[in-house]
Amino acid sequence: MNKRILLLVVIISLTFALIWFWIRKLESEGPKIIQGTKTKFLNKPQVLNFEIEDRGSGLRSIQVTVVQRDLQNEILNEELPGSLLWGKKNIIRRTIQIPFDPAAMKVKEGPLTLVIVARDYSWRNKLTGNISLLEQSFILDRIPPNLSCLSTQHYLNQGGTGFVVYQTSDDSVKDGVLVDNAFYPGFPVKAANYPQARVVYFALPYDQPDPKIELISRDEAGNEARVSFYYLLKKKKFRQDSLTISDDFLQRKIPQFFSMDDTLSGMSLTDAFLRINNYWRDQSHRQIREICRKSQPESLWEDRFLRLPDAEPSALFADHRIYLYGGKHIDEQTHLGVDLASLAHSPVPAANSGLVIYQGDLGIYGKTIIIDHGQNVFSMYSHLSNFSVSCGQKVTRGQKIGITGDTGWAGGDHLHFSMMIGGTFVNPIEWWDEHWIRDNIKLKLEILAPPQQQPSASKQEN
């Protein structure tokens, strides 16, 4: 009796083992093919990565083919070691790196497909295994956008503003001017004779007398065109100035920053001064760059920019300031604007038409207004005592926007006026100059004007 029971148990166990073995060997899930290289475009020799996995019966073979129109180029055909019977040592995961070289593969510009076929060691399909297929589409694009400069003469000043009219093809996704490593984007303009025309304003660094300046245009595939253009950059020597810091100034001004930085209350006067003059100056400039990160695509201004009426400049752009306390040199900074002093609490006009994109307290600059004049041109009005406009409001040239004051890191009532190209400070004096506006911007824009029609021969005879 016991032998019969034992035999039955053995038969049942073997039956279940055979069923389990049969089911496992007949598993129907094919290999998983995971794309590692996430890209739409190919434009240079590179390695494409894929992960192939089969946790059922293991990987048996991998085949990779490039297909383009009538071309079928097999670039990988790999048989992997393993067993149909036991499969304990079968490979369950494989990383394949496909070296893509357009020239070696003889593929041409345009769409192409990478076909990956993976087979496993399943007993399905008459022991040939499950098959998985991945078709990954790419576009081979090695041609950069067309790019050419339309404006001809470019006379630039160190620390000033440059302006270029150019054209680039429709496949461009990023274009403009590169000044060393600083990029300034271009904006489209309407021109019947140049439908792909664009304009770009760019800043010349005040502390770099010989920057590298290029037009660039990049397409979605990453192809980039770079074009040099003629320019003459005039070097400038900026002033150096000494400012004596008094205890009265520090005791009056430093507490105004306690709400921004509670560590100041425990510092000495000189340590608090250095923290505001360095850390909070840097933070203010970071905030300004963020505010000016986006601009209206069309130009909102016209004619020269206005300055504060009946005001004398007390500090100029790029003045190098040396700060003295107790007769000792304690710090130095660069003044990035023009200080204009008039009567206390003078009305401040908008230098030109535009859109108010900031109104509020701004670190060392105190109560500040920033106006976007379109196409990456901005003006800034600081140390105000009151505002007459709100954020998001459109203003016109000469419209009252505020009242001068001494808020922020100011020693007395005045207007700190700045011009910026995309958050980079430039010399405002150029923008106040009607001749500079005409010679460097308006005359270049005349290139885009439609050509005047010549009178017909019959009219000329009359």
Side-chain angles (χ1 to χ4, degrees):
M1 185 70 178
N2 290 336
K3 290 182 178 181
R4 289 182 178 180
I5 294 174
L6 181 60
L7 180 61
L8 182 60
V9 170
V10 170
I11 292 172
I12 292 173
S13 298
L14 287 173
T15 301
F16 275 108
L18 287 170
I19 292 173
W20 175 86
F21 183 79
W22 187 260
I23 292 173
R24 183 154 179 90
K25 289 300 178 183
L26 287 173
E27 58 91 14
S28 59
E29 185 176 358
K32 293 181 180 178
I33 306 174
I34 305 165
Q35 179 188 357
T37 305
K38 303 290 185 181
T39 183
K40 178 182 177 182
F41 292 92
L42 300 172
N43 64 351
K44 59 185 177 181
Q46 63 189 95
V47 175
L48 305 177
N49 298 303
F50 292 86
E51 296 284 340
I52 304 177
E53 180 181 88
D54 191 292
R55 295 189 174 275
S57 56
L59 296 170
R60 186 173 187 173
S61 67
I62 301 170
Q63 183 183 43
V64 181
T65 306
V66 173
V67 179
Q68 188 183 56
R69 302 183 188 95
D70 297 331
L71 172 70
Q72 291 195 16
N73 187 355
E74 184 178 85
I75 56 176
L76 177 67
N77 195 339
E78 184 179 15
E79 297 289 333
L80 303 177
S83 170
L84 280 168
L85 187 59
W86 299 112
K88 287 185 177 180
K89 295 183 179 181
N90 290 2
I91 297 171
I92 63 172
R93 189 178 183 88
R94 186 77 161 185
T95 299
I96 60 171
Q97 294 184 321
I98 303 169
F100 180 84
D101 186 341
M105 294 178 180
K106 300 179 181 179
V107 291
K108 300 178 180 179
E109 298 283 322
L112 60 89
T113 304
L114 197 68
V115 181
I116 301 177
V117 179
R119 189 188 300 268
D120 64 15
Y121 273 103
S122 170
W123 286 7
R124 291 242 171 200
N125 302 315
K126 299 179 181 180
L127 302 181
T128 60
N130 300 301
I131 298 176
S132 294
L133 181 144
L134 174 68
E135 293 185 347
Q136 182 64 47
S137 297
F138 298 98
I139 297 175
L140 179 61
D141 181 0
R142 294 173 291 180
I143 302 174
N146 293 324
L147 176 64
S148 61
C149 186
L150 296 175
S151 51
T152 53
Q153 297 178 333
H154 307 90
Y155 297 103
L156 311 175
N157 294 305
Q158 184 177 339
T161 302
F163 179 72
V164 171
V165 182
Y166 67 100
Q167 61 181 349
T168 188
S169 49
D170 293 334
D171 56 339
S172 174
V173 296
K174 181 179 181 179
D175 53 81
V177 163
L178 198 63
V179 181
D180 287 336
N181 294 320
F183 174 73
Y184 298 91
F187 295 87
V189 288
K190 293 181 179 179
N193 49 330
Y194 293 105
Q196 297 170 325
R198 300 175 73 83
V199 298
V200 57
Y201 295 89
F202 57 95
L204 285 309
Y206 65 87
D207 54 355
Q208 167 59 285
D210 191 24
K212 184 178 182 181
I213 307 172
E214 291 180 299
L215 273 171
I216 70 164
S217 182
R218 186 179 303 150
D219 64 19
E220 191 177 356
N223 301 301
E224 188 175 271
R226 294 195 176 209
V227 171
S228 299
F229 56 92
Y230 172 80
Y231 63 87
L232 182 63
L233 176 57
K234 184 179 180 180
K235 298 179 181 180
K236 295 184 72 70
K237 186 175 181 180
F238 297 101
R239 302 189 314 176
Q240 183 169 298
D241 191 17
S242 295
L243 289 180
T244 299
I245 306 301
S246 66
D247 285 337
D248 175 70
F249 172 80
L250 297 178
Q251 292 167 357
R252 181 166 52 90
K253 282 294 174 179
I254 289 174
Q256 297 178 19
F257 289 82
F258 284 173
S259 60
M260 294 167 49
D261 189 344
D262 55 10
T263 65
L264 294 171
S265 59
M267 293 182 178
S268 67
L269 289 178
T270 53
D271 287 344
F273 168 81
L274 291 173
R275 179 165 176 81
I276 295 171
N277 210 40
N278 288 271
Y279 175 77
W280 283 109
R281 185 181 298 273
D282 289 342
Q283 290 299 109
S284 300
H285 291 164
R286 287 175 184 268
Q287 186 177 355
I288 290 167
R289 287 193 294 270
E290 182 61 26
I291 293 168
C292 299
R293 193 168 57 88
K294 293 183 179 180
S295 180
Q296 295 296 307
E298 67 278 0
S299 179
L300 304 177
W301 63 276
E302 57 183 23
D303 298 326
R304 70 176 183 87
F305 280 57
L306 301 176
R307 54 179 285 176
L308 184 68
D310 303 318
E312 291 296 325
S314 57
L316 299 180
F317 177 79
D319 280 357
H320 187 72
R321 287 179 165 177
I322 295 175
Y323 295 88
L324 304 175
Y325 179 70
K328 295 182 180 180
H329 175 179
I330 61 169
D331 199 13
E332 52 187 86
Q333 296 289 344
T334 302
H335 185 251
L336 298 177
V338 174
D339 286 348
L340 297 167
S342 182
L343 297 175
H345 302 296
S346 294
V348 176
N352 222 311
S353 301
L355 179 70
V356 177
I357 59 170
Y358 186 83
Q359 179 250 60
D361 289 313
L362 208 166
I364 67 166
Y365 292 104
K367 293 184 182 298
T368 295
I369 289 172
I370 297 178
I371 298 177
D372 176 14
H373 301 286
Q375 297 177 343
N376 234 14
V377 177
F378 302 88
S379 60
M380 186 174 86
Y381 314 76
S382 298
H383 305 313
L384 303 177
S385 59
N386 281 297
F387 301 121
S388 303
V389 293
S390 56
C391 194
Q393 181 177 338
K394 292 181 178 180
V395 294
T396 57
R397 182 175 181 265
Q399 178 180 339
K400 178 184 173 183
I401 60 172
I403 302 291
T404 62
D406 63 352
T407 57
W409 208 222
D413 187 294
H414 72 279
L415 172 69
H416 174 96
F417 179 78
S418 292
M419 290 293 300
M420 297 165 293
I421 303 299
T424 300
F425 292 96
V426 294
N427 198 339
I429 292 178
E430 293 179 334
W431 292 90
W432 292 332
D433 186 344
E434 183 178 355
H435 297 290
W436 183 87
I437 295 284
R438 182 195 64 204
D439 295 342
N440 292 278
I441 298 176
K442 290 187 175 181
L443 287 180
K444 292 176 183 176
L445 289 173
E446 289 181 2
I447 300 169
L448 305 177
Q452 294 183 350
Q453 292 184 351
Q454 296 295 325
S456 64
S458 59
K459 289 183 178 180
Q460 289 178 350
E461 291 172 0
N462 294 334

